[in-house]
């Protein structure tokens, strides 16, 4: 535990020096405030409180922003050490490779946690300031916060795996952006195209729910929309939230961080300094 905390402390200082802490805090704060101010107006027609509708908007923000921040923080976690020549020195210490990964994860996840709590806290403050009844949406916001942290952990693990496989920061950066585009942007477009082509057939009824749960970003979105009861504010793939049981999307949200970290550990084990 001491070795993990020591690694985490070092990584957090590096993130401070590279201004990742400030970048994450500013981005989450600004976008959360904008969505809270501009996206919570149509509450009357939806029949839900202002904060619940804000949660639906914040869910969409988190799906795009948190994976991107996580990948940008983690893509050079291993490749950067290799390029700088510090990996052999790091591995020479009496510390296991999995402890190095967990230490990096703790530091980077702490940054994302601070950003999430700041952004969501500001959004909740704006909603409560404008609508005293918005307090009923607080459980949905709490769910969104901890599940956002788990989503960040998933993509941090994926970033470590890509970093270990690439060995060079430039290659790892390209793979990280490709992963983000694939899972967060193109994946849903492909599913929607397949649904249109299927026209209510086997893919729509059987394969589509499984495909959603197989993507950590979609599972995160489905879980929060279903749990908050704000599915009326969703569109596109998010509108499928009512068709998938809550426990299935929750299971996917909980398992993906473990799977991503395990994949990173396997990839890191094969790295030779």
């Amino acid at each position: 535990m001491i070795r993990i905390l020591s690694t985490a402390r070092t990584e957090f200082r590096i993130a401070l020096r590279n201004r990742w802490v400030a970048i994450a805090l500013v981005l989450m704060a600004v976008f959360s405030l904008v969505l809270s101010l501009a996206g919570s107006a149509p509450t009357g027609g939806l029949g839900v409180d202002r904060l619940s509708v804000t949660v639906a908007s914040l869910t969409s923000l988190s799906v795009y922003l948190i994976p991107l921040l996580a990948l940008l923080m983690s893509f050079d976690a291993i490749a950067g050490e290799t390029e700088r020549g510090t990996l052999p020195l790091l591995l020479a210490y009496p510390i296991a490779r999995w402890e190095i990964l967990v230490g990096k994860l703790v530091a980077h996840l702490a940054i994302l946690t601070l950003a999430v709590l700041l952004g969501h806290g500001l959004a909740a403050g704006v909603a409560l300031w404008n609508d005293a009844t918005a307090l009923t949406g607080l459980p949905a916001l709490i769910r969104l916060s901890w599940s956002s942290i788990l989503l960040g952990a998933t993509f941090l693990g994926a970033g470590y795996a890509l970093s270990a496989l690439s060995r060079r920061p430039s290659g790892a950066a390209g793979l990280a952006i490709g992963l983000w585009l694939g899972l967060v942007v193109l994946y849903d477009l492909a599913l929607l195209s397949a649904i249109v082509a299927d026209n209510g057939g086997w893919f729509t009824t059987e394969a589509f729910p499984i495909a959603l749960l197989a993507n950590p970003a979609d599972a995160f979105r489905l879980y929060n929309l279903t749990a908050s009861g704000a599915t009326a504010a969703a569109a596109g793939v998010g509108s499928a939230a009512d068709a998938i049981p809550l426990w299935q999307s929750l299971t996917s949200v909980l398992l993906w961080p473990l799977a991503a970290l395990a994949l990173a550990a396997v990839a890191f084990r094969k790295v030779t300094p």
Side-chain angles (χ1 to χ4, degrees):
M1 180 61 70
I2 295 177
R3 293 191 292 266
I4 292 175
L5 293 178
S6 178
T7 302
R9 192 160 47 243
T10 301
E11 289 294 327
F12 193 85
R13 290 172 180 168
I14 293 174
L16 280 173
R17 187 170 63 246
N18 294 336
R19 292 179 171 77
W20 274 119
V21 176
I23 291 172
L25 292 176
V26 169
L27 286 177
M28 281 299 300
V30 170
F31 282 111
S32 296
L33 276 177
V34 169
L35 286 179
S36 182
L37 290 171
S40 59
T43 55
L46 295 174
V48 294
D49 63 276
R50 182 180 294 267
L51 186 54
S52 293
V53 176
T54 299
V55 166
S57 300
L58 290 175
T59 300
S60 297
L61 170 67
S62 299
V63 165
Y64 289 96
L65 185 57
I66 290 180
L68 182 60
L69 287 174
L71 289 170
L72 291 177
M73 280 192 290
S74 60
F75 77 89
D76 68 340
I78 308 300
E81 300 272 9
T82 302
E83 186 175 65
R84 292 188 297 268
T86 56
L87 184 60
L89 178 62
L90 181 61
L91 295 178
Y93 289 109
I95 180 172
R97 296 195 180 203
W98 70 267
E99 291 177 315
I100 295 174
L101 279 180
V102 173
K104 290 177 179 290
L105 177 66
V106 169
H108 294 150
L109 201 57
I111 298 170
L112 284 177
T113 300
L114 290 173
V116 166
L117 294 180
L118 174 62
H120 292 181
L122 290 173
V126 171
L128 292 172
W129 178 268
N130 291 294
D131 181 10
T133 64
L135 192 63
T136 57
L138 192 58
L141 184 66
I142 294 174
R143 271 192 304 268
L144 176 63
S145 297
W146 64 257
S147 59
S148 295
I149 295 170
L150 290 180
L151 179 66
T154 297
F155 281 87
L156 284 172
Y160 299 149
L162 295 178
S163 186
L165 292 172
S166 176
R167 308 292 184 88
R168 295 181 62 86
S170 57
L175 291 175
I177 295 301
L179 179 67
W180 181 81
L181 286 173
L183 290 183
V184 178
V185 180
L186 301 179
Y187 191 89
D188 286 353
L189 293 177
L191 289 183
L192 290 174
S193 299
I195 290 175
V196 172
D198 185 57
N199 195 25
W202 174 84
F203 179 84
T204 303
T205 58
E206 301 294 335
F208 180 59
I210 298 175
L212 288 178
L213 296 174
N215 184 339
D218 282 332
F220 163 83
R221 175 162 40 199
L222 292 174
Y223 170 69
N224 281 285
L225 291 177
T226 303
S228 66
T231 54
V237 172
S239 63
D242 287 331
I244 298 176
L246 180 63
W247 69 268
Q248 292 184 3
S249 56
L250 174 60
T251 301
S252 181
V253 168
L254 295 175
L255 290 181
W256 264 114
L258 299 176
L261 188 59
L263 179 62
V266 171
F268 189 27
R269 190 179 305 157
K270 297 180 180 180
V271 173
T272 55

